[in-house]
Amino acid sequence: MSEEKNLWEKIGEVAETLNTEARYEAAKQLYAGIGVDTDAAIEKLSNVTVSLHCWQGDDVRGFDTDPSKPLTGGIQTTGNYPGRARTPEELMADYEKVLSLCPGKKKLNLHASYAIFDEGGFVDRDKIEPKHFSKWVEFAKKNGIGLDFNPTFFSHPNMKNGLTLSSPDEKNRKFWIDHGKACVRIAEYFAKETGIPCVMNIWIGDGYKDIPADRKGPRERYKDSIEQIISEPHDPKQVKITVESKVFGIGVESYTAGSAEFTLLFAATHPGILPLMDNGHYHPTEMVSDKISSLLCYFDEIALHITRPVRWDSDHVVILDDETKEIAKEIVRNGDSLDRVNIALDYFDASINRISAWTVGFRSLQKALLMALCTPNKEFKKLQDTNQLTKLMAKQEELKVYPFGDVWEEYLLKNDAPSELSWYNEVEKYEKEVLSKRV
Ligand code: RNT
Ligand code: ZN
C-alpha cells in the first residue's frame, strides 16, 4: 500500500518539473495547424456554466425525511462508502471542496428535500418557503455561483402507491401540486437573490410495475398538475421550468406517466417550458447525443441531465466516454447552441469516495466540452457536406491522438484548478482529515 502511494506521489513530482508552458505552446501550434484556436477554446469554456448537483454528496437523502429510509420513486443508490454528508454543514463543506477541485463556471443544483429547518422548525413539502433555503442562498453568494432547483416528488410518505402529480387521489395530488407551486416561488427567490436565472426541473417517478389498465388517465392528471404548477406567477426569463422524461424506473418497469413523448409535447405546447433530457432515461441504444439537434430545431432552449447509465439508469459517475464526448460536440458545434443548452450533471455513486465521484464527473464533462471546442468542427462539416466521408473518418481518428492533455492542463492553470496529476492527493487528504472522522 505505502509503496503504491510512493509511486503516485513520484509521478506528481515528475509532472511538476515538466515545462507545461512549453508543452502548451507546442500543442497550440499543432492544433493551429488544423484551424483550432486553443486559446479561444479555453476562453470560451471558462464562461460556460455547468450545474453541479448537491445530491452526490449524501446519496440523494436530503434533510426533510428520515435518512434511514430507502429512496423511493424508482431511483436507487448502491454502496455504503464511509463519509456521507449528514448535515447541511457537512454537505456544504464537501461541496466547497469539490468546487476547489473543479475548473470552470458552476451553478449549484438543489432539491427541495435539502430545505434547512432551523428557523421555526419543520414544515412539509407543500409549505416550504424561501426562508428554508436562505442558508443555501448565502452559500451560493459566498461562492459566487447561481442556483438551480428541483421540487422533490419522491422519497416521501405522501408518495402514495408510488404516485404524486398523476395520483387519482385528489387530496394527495393537491399536496404535490402545492409543493410544485412552493418550488416556483423558491426558484424565483433564488433568481432574484443571485441575479442569475434559476432552472426549475420537474421530474416524477410515477408509474406502474405491471401492465396498467389505464395509461391515459395518469397522463391527463399529470398534465393538469403541471399546468397548475406553472400557473404560479413567475417570470419565465428568471425561472426556467423544465420537464424531464423517463422510460422506466425500479419498480415502475411497465409504465411511466412522464414518458419521452409526454414531456416533449408538454414543453412544445406550453410556451416558456423547456424539455429536459437525461441520458439515462431512454432505451439503451437510444442516444441523447442524436436527439439534441432535433430539439434545437424547435426549442429556443433545452436542458440536459448528463449521467452514465450502465445497462440501466444506474447514474454511474460521468467519465470521458464516447457518449459524453458526443453530447459535448452537439452542445458546442452548432453555432449558438452553447447558449441554448442548460447543462446539468445528475449521478450518484455511494460505493466510492463521494468527493472523488463528484469531481471526476465534473472534470470529465469539462474535458469533453474542451475537446469538442478543440475540434475543427467547421472543417469536418465541410468534409461531410462535400461527401468526403473517407477523409472525415481518417481525420476524426487522427484528432484522437492530438496532445489534448496539454491544452487541458493550460485550462486548469487558467482556472485555478489543480492539475490532473495532483487533484487526487487533495481527495486523499480530505478523506483522512475530514471524511474518515464521520462515524
Ligand atoms: C431520476 C431523475 C432525476 C433525479 C434527481 C435526483 O431518474 O434523473 O433527475 O436523478 O432529480
Ligand atoms: Zn435526471
Side-chain angles (χ1 to χ4, degrees):
M1 181 69 193
S2 69
E3 259 174 44
E4 199 189 341
K5 210 167 178 189
N6 282 338
L7 168 78
W8 300 117
E9 272 170 6
K10 262 192 237 152
I11 293 177
E13 280 162 23
V14 171
E16 258 152 47
T17 64
L18 295 177
N19 186 340
T20 47
E21 211 177 301
R23 286 169 60 190
Y24 177 63
E25 281 311 314
K28 186 175 153 174
Q29 278 181 40
L30 258 173
Y31 277 99
I34 53 169
V36 170
D37 180 344
T38 51
D39 283 343
I42 288 170
E43 171 73 28
K44 184 131 208 184
L45 186 57
S46 305
N47 291 308
V48 173
T49 303
V50 173
S51 192
L52 181 62
H53 54 312
C54 71
W55 51 90
Q56 167 61 68
D58 75 332
D59 314 339
V60 209
R61 294 189 194 202
F63 307 127
D64 71 342
T65 51
D66 180 353
S68 65
K69 294 252 168 73
L71 281 177
T72 61
I75 54 174
Q76 244 179 36
T77 51
T78 49
N80 193 20
Y81 197 85
R84 178 179 77 81
R86 300 156 301 180
T87 62
E89 292 71 30
E90 286 180 354
L91 189 61
M92 286 180 192
D94 292 359
Y95 196 90
E96 275 179 348
K97 185 76 219 170
V98 175
L99 290 181
S100 77
L101 300 175
C102 294
K105 252 192 174 173
K106 299 111 186 162
K107 236 177 154 184
L108 166 60
N109 205 359
L110 273 183
H111 246 284
S113 52
Y114 290 81
I116 300 174
F117 293 115
D118 48 9
E119 290 162 42
F122 175 80
V123 296
D124 215 340
R125 287 191 192 162
D126 59 335
K127 304 249 160 34
I128 48 171
E129 290 175 50
K131 70 174 184 199
H132 301 118
F133 293 87
S134 61
K135 289 231 166 99
W136 285 115
V137 166
E138 241 171 71
F139 178 78
K141 284 184 182 166
K142 176 180 162 218
N143 287 287
I145 58 180
L147 285 162
D148 287 334
F149 200 43
N150 304 261
T152 311
F153 299 108
F154 56 81
S155 299
H156 187 279
N158 280 6
M159 203 190 176
K160 294 217 172 89
N161 305 321
L163 304 174
T164 61
L165 294 177
S166 78
S167 175
D169 172 341
E170 283 303 307
K171 197 169 147 244
N172 204 44
R173 188 163 75 94
K174 182 163 186 304
F175 171 86
W176 289 110
I177 294 169
D178 288 343
H179 174 54
K181 290 183 167 186
C183 288
V184 174
R185 297 190 289 269
I186 294 162
E188 185 131 276
Y189 156 72
F190 284 171
K192 270 205 189 113
E193 287 291 323
T194 59
I196 300 167
C198 172
V199 174
M200 193 198 94
N201 178 47
I202 297 178
W203 170 75
I204 61 168
D206 292 28
Y208 288 98
K209 180 185 173 90
D210 224 318
I211 304 165
D214 175 19
R215 287 189 167 88
K216 192 151 171 276
R219 289 185 173 135
E220 277 168 347
R221 290 189 291 270
Y222 185 23
K223 176 171 180 277
D224 174 75
S225 298
I226 318 177
E227 281 167 351
Q228 290 193 48
I229 291 170
I230 65 179
S231 75
E232 183 66 25
H234 66 277
D235 172 357
K237 289 222 164 59
Q238 293 307 309
V239 177
K240 301 182 185 180
I241 299 182
T242 62
V243 275
E244 177 180 13
S245 69
K246 182 156 169 166
V247 64
F248 85 96
I250 296 286
V252 290
E253 286 84 359
S254 295
Y255 169 90
T256 54
S259 62
E261 295 76 14
F262 176 91
T263 55
L264 197 52
L265 288 166
F266 187 93
T269 53
H270 292 76
I273 307 299
L274 322 182
L276 185 146
M277 295 191 291
D278 177 313
N279 61 306
H281 291 186
Y282 297 85
H283 291 283
T285 60
E286 265 185 90
M287 293 296 154
V288 160
S289 54
D290 187 54
K291 298 175 190 293
I292 293 170
S293 50
S294 298
L295 267 57
L296 288 174
C297 288
Y298 294 95
F299 291 94
D300 290 339
E301 275 185 50
I302 64 165
L304 297 177
H305 271 183
I306 300 179
T307 186
R308 179 164 55 106
V310 178
R311 303 190 191 285
W312 69 288
D313 181 30
S314 58
D315 286 304
H316 277 63
V317 174
V318 170
I319 56 172
L320 188 60
D321 59 9
D322 285 350
E323 177 59 358
T324 307
K325 288 191 227 168
E326 211 54 35
I327 288 175
K329 285 187 209 162
E330 290 300 324
I331 297 174
V332 312
R333 73 181 164 197
N334 299 304
D336 59 354
S337 337
L338 248 181
D339 307 324
R340 295 168 59 197
V341 181
N342 294 280
I343 313 167
L345 288 158
D346 181 13
Y347 51 82
F348 29 96
D349 192 336
S351 75
I352 53 177
N353 178 307
R354 294 171 186 81
I355 307 294
S356 183
W358 240 334
T359 307
V360 166
F362 192 91
R363 287 174 68 117
S364 296
L365 178 63
Q366 291 269 310
K367 283 178 197 159
L369 290 166
L370 188 60
M371 267 186 181
L373 287 163
C374 290
T375 299
N377 292 308
K378 277 203 189 97
E379 295 304 318
F380 281 178
K381 180 176 147 47
K382 218 188 273 166
L383 292 177
Q384 176 178 321
D385 290 346
T386 52
N387 203 36
Q388 299 185 66
L389 302 181
T390 311
K391 192 167 180 178
L392 175 59
M393 180 197 273
K395 293 294 160 192
Q396 280 177 327
E397 289 305 296
E398 251 175 56
L399 186 65
K400 289 183 181 170
V401 295
Y402 267 56
F404 173 74
D406 297 333
V407 183
W408 172 242
E409 284 299 335
E410 178 73 7
Y411 176 68
L412 293 171
L413 201 69
K414 286 242 163 80
N415 281 277
D416 297 319
S419 81
E420 198 60 18
L421 294 170
S422 73
W423 72 270
Y424 189 73
N425 296 340
E426 294 286 310
V427 174
E428 282 188 327
K429 204 165 142 232
Y430 192 76
E431 171 151 32
K432 200 163 148 227
E433 286 168 7
V434 181
L435 302 179
S436 68
K437 309 229 159 93
R438 289 181 191 162
V439 277

